[in-house]
Amino acid sequence: MEFVRYEQYTPVERPTYQQELDEVVGNVARRTRESVEREGVGRAVRTAHGKTYGLMKATITVSDTPGPYAQGIFAAPATYDAVVRYSNGLGHLRADSLLGAACGMGIKMFGVPGRSLLADETEATTFDLNLINNTVFFANTAYDYMVIEELFAELPDALVNPARRKSWMGEFLTRRGTLASADEWLWDELFAMLSFTQVQRRNLLSYTYNSMGAFRYGDHIAKIRTLPVSPVTHLDVDVRADGEAFRNTLVAEAGERDHAFELQVQLNADLMRMPVDNTSVEWPEQLSPWVTVARIDVPRQDIGGEENLTAADGTSITPWRSREDHRPIGEIQRVREEVYRRSSIERHRINHQPRQEPASSAELL
């Protein structure tokens, strides 16, 4: 099977990108500051993935991977200390019944060789992965993100209100009237957004989690996912009976048994049918299969205390805490570099949390 070479991808350069990015970053910084009053908990809250459910110790073991999959940090067998953080995708602190089922799995590995891509953390040995429990994402440009981020601040309320639902979707589809014709409307993005409403509420350890965009993968281009391989006993999440059902089922499951996941890679085989700059299109497995390159082991542990939530909230995870062989690519990935950095700076400043990368899981848990 022939895979696309990294140098075959040409980034899309738009003349208005920097101006749009500056506005996006400014809006995120403002909303982060306003979250202290908006969320009413006396601290700043992330504008996305605001509610954390737990932080867990883990070990990542890189296997003896085949051929083109042996790239970057996955080029040779190795074992890394790690933590895994689970969170809700929306930027609110509410009962789970008032939030959707779009959730994230953040992974932070320690002791990874090489220089970090973050300009202010080049010597840090951490390596992060940001994953979501869906196969597609709903924003692809800086301008999309600017409008959609504001619209998402209204969720889930806007989709529950029949009167607002139609106008909200219209604003999303037309990017608040800035896209004149139906040919320009954000159809892929709208369908991707609606697919999140179909995600069923389940134990956080039972989902498959996917990267929100593409990455360089050494000589190639890839997406990454985690696939659970352990049975889950506390599968159902009843948010009607328990406003903290996601966390409580996670705590119960984590305290009873070990869990494991396969870390898998899908290499790009066709830039047209597996687009890099449109994260709202799923890459077909028929064109390129998922291949396991590492295993994530999460030992049985007690994560039930408030100190665990404090540690989870203070843990910063960004796709740009990476290495050159795994550079995020695509416009929305470039947007996330500065958005995540500025959000982290504002949040840690307001919350009086040190913004310094830990050297091991023991510093967090």
Side-chain angles (χ1 to χ4, degrees), residues 18-176:
Q18 189 59 50
Q19 177 184 345
E20 294 166 6
L21 177 63
D22 291 342
E23 190 167 352
V24 168
V25 172
N27 287 344
V28 168
R30 172 182 53 81
R31 285 187 48 76
T32 300
R33 293 190 295 269
E34 293 172 350
S35 69
V36 178
E37 181 177 350
R38 183 178 65 247
E39 298 303 316
V41 293
R43 60 180 173 84
V45 177
R46 293 174 175 85
T47 58
H49 295 275
K51 185 175 183 178
T52 55
Y53 292 123
L55 188 71
M56 307 172 72
K57 293 182 180 180
T59 300
I60 296 180
T61 304
V62 178
S63 52
D64 191 4
T65 49
Y69 297 91
Q71 305 275 339
I73 68 168
F74 304 105
T79 301
Y80 297 101
D81 177 31
V83 292
V84 174
R85 189 191 76 197
Y86 290 100
S87 59
N88 191 280
L90 293 181
H92 298 300
L93 300 181
R94 299 178 177 180
D96 289 338
S97 59
L98 301 177
L99 298 171
C103 294
M105 178 184 188
I107 301 171
K108 183 181 293 293
M109 302 163 61
F110 302 97
V112 178
R115 294 176 67 83
S116 174
L117 293 181
L118 288 179
D120 53 350
E121 294 182 11
T122 56
E123 301 304 318
T125 67
T126 45
F127 186 105
D128 294 354
L129 294 172
N130 296 67
L131 311 171
I132 54 174
N133 59 348
N134 202 356
T135 57
V136 289
F137 194 52
F138 42 75
N140 290 296
T141 70
Y143 203 99
D144 292 348
Y145 193 100
M146 181 172 60
V147 173
I148 291 171
E149 198 270 339
E150 292 181 357
L151 288 172
F152 264 63
E154 297 184 46
L155 295 182
D157 303 350
L159 298 184
V160 175
N161 183 328
R164 178 58 178 140
R165 185 187 304 135
K166 289 183 179 180
S167 60
W168 189 96
M169 288 190 182
E171 290 179 33
F172 186 109
L173 184 63
T174 65
R175 209 162 58 190
R176 283 195 163 154

Side-chain angles (χ1 to χ4, degrees), residues 202-222:
R202 303 201 315 262
N203 192 298
L204 293 163
L205 292 166
S206 71
Y207 289 118
T208 295
Y209 292 88
N210 297 264
S211 57
M212 285 177 268
F215 298 82
R216 177 180 183 179
Y217 194 76
D219 296 331
H220 303 290
I221 296 169

Side-chain angles (χ1 to χ4, degrees), residues 22 28 137 144 195 201 204 209 222-223 239 248 287 322 353:
D22 291 342
V28 168
F137 194 52
D144 292 348
S195 73
R201 290 183 173 90
L204 293 163
Y209 292 88
K223 288 188 176 181
V239 298
N248 289 336
L287 296 179
S322 186
Q353 296 168 324

Side-chain angles (χ1 to χ4, degrees), residues 281-302:
V281 174
E282 184 175 358
W283 287 8
E285 288 190 53
Q286 303 94 308
L287 296 179
S288 179
W290 289 96
V291 172
T292 299
V293 298
R295 177 184 171 96
I296 305 170
D297 287 291
V298 180
R300 182 173 64 87
Q301 56 196 280
D302 180 5

